[in-house]
Amino acid sequence: MAAPMRLKSTLAVVTGGGSGIGRAICQRLSQEGASVAVVDVNIDSANETLQSLSRGVPGQDHVVLTADVSRSDSVLAVMEQIQSRFSAPPRVAVNSAGITRDEFLLRLSEESFDSVLSVNLKGPFLITQAVARSIVSSGQNGGSIINIGSIVGKVGNLGQANYAASKAGVEGLTKTAAKELAKFGIRCNTVLPGFIATPMTDKVPQKVLDKISGMIPLGRLGQPEDIADVCAFLASDDSKYITGTSIEVTGGLYL
Ligand code: NAD
């Protein structure tokens, strides 16, 4: 079924757009008419995403921007490049960049803890702040910020103390941003994926994935497109009265 066209004339920035969930989000937003800034630390994969984007709407213009979202100078440079190319702030921002450094708590290094928190939590903070500042300073209110959390942030997971903490933090950040930014018409929500088949979960042994599939009421791992569907809804005016919430997209896992 063809995607609706809810995002014509909308500029969206998607971090982690080079792979997995972020790539599917870039594709879906472009299918709905948005111009997309694909942000990723990996320029080759971001360029692959760029090649796959829809260009069906006159004026649609996509760009790849290389950045490390955990660095404020890098995020600032992204915002400057967006401003000079589009002469407008992004109205939609999706924070999908994320990493894992799994290890049991008793062996977890400080470096692994810090690196996961830097990308998964500080990254969304820096992007949320930068995008909100650019919207506010444009004098034209309105926007939607979507953070990709994880169901693991709610329930924990063996070997993921750093990751679960970062994703729980994302929900707190998002709820606070929603309260502070509502007066500027900026909505902020978190999407909580369950287990989604992407390069990130390719690292999980097949035996474990089979076990998880068996625990999912809908009977399968999620696909990146399952998350992209929800992000497109949150990006669009169809969700105009929704802010500060978290939407679980898990196939019913951990109900
Ligand atoms: P992925 O590994 O396929 O993609 C992550 C992307 O983020 C990659 O392109 C990578 O280059 C980019 N990236 C990593 N560090 C970066 C940085 N510092 N700056 C900019 N880009 C960076 O992973 P995915 O499965 O698509 O995950 C996307 C998001 O969804 C992550 O936040 C992840 O935690 C979350 N998530 C995934 C699952 C899952 O089952 N796959 C479940 C819950 C949540």
Side-chain angles (χ1 to χ4, degrees):
M1 196 173 65
M5 292 294 268
R6 296 174 292 190
L7 301 172
K8 279 188 206 162
S9 309
T10 302
L11 175 58
V13 56
V14 181
T15 75
S19 177
I21 291 170
R23 174 174 287 174
I25 293 167
C26 292
Q27 291 166 341
R28 176 58 187 265
L29 299 185
S30 74
Q31 285 159 13
E32 295 224 18
S35 291
V36 180
V38 184
V39 174
D40 206 287
V41 76
N42 183 333
I43 188 162
D44 293 335
S45 59
N47 274 319
E48 272 177 40
T49 297
L50 183 73
Q51 298 310 318
S52 72
L53 298 186
S54 299
R55 291 174 171 77
V57 172
Q60 239 181 331
D61 181 24
H62 311 302
V63 66
V64 161
L65 301 169
T66 321
D68 176 349
V69 296
S70 67
R71 296 177 50 129
S72 54
D73 55 348
S74 206
V75 170
L76 194 64
V78 161
M79 296 309 295
E80 283 170 358
Q81 289 171 79
I82 288 176
Q83 182 60 36
S84 72
R85 178 155 178 150
F86 297 96
S87 306
R91 294 285 161 190
V92 171
V94 185
N95 284 299
S96 187
I99 59 169
T100 52
R101 296 282 182 274
D102 293 355
E103 186 52 274
F104 288 112
L105 181 63
L106 295 183
R107 290 201 295 258
L108 184 61
S109 70
E110 185 177 351
E111 194 276 327
S112 292
F113 186 85
D114 285 347
S115 57
V116 167
L117 269 286
S118 288
V119 177
N120 295 8
L121 180 56
K122 188 177 166 193
F125 156 64
L126 291 172
I127 293 278
T128 299
Q129 186 184 57
V131 168
R133 280 177 173 166
S134 71
I135 291 171
V136 171
S137 67
S138 76
Q140 280 195 306
N141 288 351
S144 174
I145 295 172
I146 302 157
N147 291 325
I148 308 298
S150 170
I151 194 65
V152 162
K154 277 194 155 172
V155 300
N157 196 24
L158 294 177
Q160 292 200 310
N162 49 1
Y163 184 80
S166 73
K167 294 301 188 179
V170 164
E171 282 197 81
L173 166 73
T174 310
K175 285 181 189 297
T176 302
K179 288 187 176 178
E180 293 188 13
L181 300 176
K183 63 177 178 239
F184 304 110
I186 302 171
R187 298 181 294 107
C188 305
N189 293 289
T190 313
V191 176
L192 307 180
F195 281 83
I196 313 298
T198 72
M200 186 179 270
T201 41
D202 283 351
K203 292 181 215 156
V204 179
Q206 191 56 44
K207 213 171 71 179
V208 177
L209 290 178
D210 289 344
K211 196 170 162 211
I212 291 165
S213 293
M215 292 161 57
I216 298 173
L218 289 181
R220 63 169 176 88
L221 294 188
Q223 293 299 316
E225 293 73 21
D226 295 321
I227 307 303
D229 287 345
V230 177
C231 290
F233 164 71
L234 288 173
S236 79
D237 277 350
D238 284 353
S239 58
K240 61 183 177 301
Y241 199 55
I242 298 179
T243 196
T245 198
S246 302
I247 301 183
E248 295 182 16
V249 189
T250 62
L253 186 65
Y254 303 126
L255 275 175

